[in-house]
Amino acid sequence: MALLPILKYPDPRLKKIASDVEVVDDSVRKIVEDMAETMYASNGVGLAATQVDIHKRIVVIDVSEERNNLLVLINPEITWFSPEKIVHEEGCLSVPTIYDNVERFSEVRVKALDLNGKEFELKADGLLAICIQHELDHLMGKVFVEKLSALKLNRIKTKIKKMQREESKN
């Protein structure tokens, strides 16, 4: 297992649209293993392959309190959105220290492949539904801060530039 470097917004590689996994094999399982280790080590609840500069449709999620219920979604696709929406504060491993409210669908149904290449379907609500939508956005080259108002996004970009200047001094 290996910790993978997480791309930081506004890295242009975060804009790349991920391609489908053709075959779920040992190389894909190794990517999933490394992504899960990276997510857990970073105290995240989800990680898309795009965030670690792997442009394949792979997502790992664990919203459990115990951090022992890994959900792996390969080639995920949302097949249904609830008519209801919710607003929830989100953060992102690619945009550290930034949190803001984002409106999402309150429930979703997603189909994906598991680690054996077997298709399954899952209905999710609450934090899991939010996380699925957030991570699938990454696979489409979108970061949650881009859902915010132009004013908020400009403030975030200014804050990130300031943080990058501070880091480069150290």
Side-chain angles (χ1 to χ4, degrees):
M1 297 204 298
L3 289 177
L4 304 170
I6 298 171
L7 299 178
K8 302 295 187 239
Y9 182 81
D11 191 307
R13 293 171 289 179
L14 288 168
K15 292 264 185 218
K16 287 180 86 173
I17 296 174
S19 58
D20 282 347
V21 171
E22 298 299 323
V23 175
V24 179
D25 58 15
D26 285 344
S27 68
V28 170
R29 287 185 274 279
K30 172 76 169 108
I31 291 168
V32 167
E33 189 176 286
D34 291 346
M35 285 176 60
E37 182 180 357
T38 302
M39 176 188 71
Y40 288 129
S42 304
N43 291 316
V45 294
L47 187 68
T50 301
Q51 293 176 269
V52 292
D53 203 20
I54 298 170
H55 302 282
K56 294 288 181 189
R57 294 186 58 78
I58 304 170
V59 167
V60 295
I61 295 173
D62 189 343
V63 296
S64 69
E65 290 288 323
E66 302 81 20
R67 313 293 286 141
N68 64 355
N69 192 19
L70 184 67
L71 173 63
V72 176
L73 302 171
I74 300 170
N75 297 341
E77 179 185 330
I78 295 177
T79 58
W80 175 82
F81 299 95
S82 67
E84 300 83 26
K85 292 188 175 184
I86 54 172
V87 174
H88 191 274
E89 186 178 72
E90 293 186 24
C92 181
L93 295 175
S94 290
V95 195
T97 74
I98 305 293
Y99 299 88
D100 213 317
N101 288 328
V102 177
E103 184 178 65
R104 302 268 187 195
F105 294 97
S106 62
E107 294 178 83
V108 296
R109 195 171 292 126
V110 63
K111 74 174 183 180
L113 302 177
D114 67 14
L115 283 173
N116 297 312
K118 185 173 182 271
E119 189 174 287
F120 70 97
E121 197 163 347
L122 170 77
K123 187 174 180 183
D125 60 9
L127 182 57
L128 181 56
I130 291 164
C131 195
I132 288 170
Q133 292 169 80
H134 177 110
E135 300 308 333
L136 269 61
D137 277 355
H138 278 300
L139 299 180
M140 297 305 297
K142 297 180 183 125
V143 179
F144 90 96
V145 293
E146 296 165 346
K147 291 184 169 291
L148 305 176
S149 70
L151 178 65
K152 282 186 178 182
L153 184 56
N154 283 333
R155 285 183 183 155
I156 288 167
K157 285 180 179 178
T158 300
K159 185 176 180 180
I160 289 170
K161 284 178 186 166
K162 183 179 177 187
M163 287 182 343
Q164 288 171 337
R165 280 195 303 271
E166 295 297 318
E167 285 175 9
S168 66
K169 288 179 185 176
N170 298 332

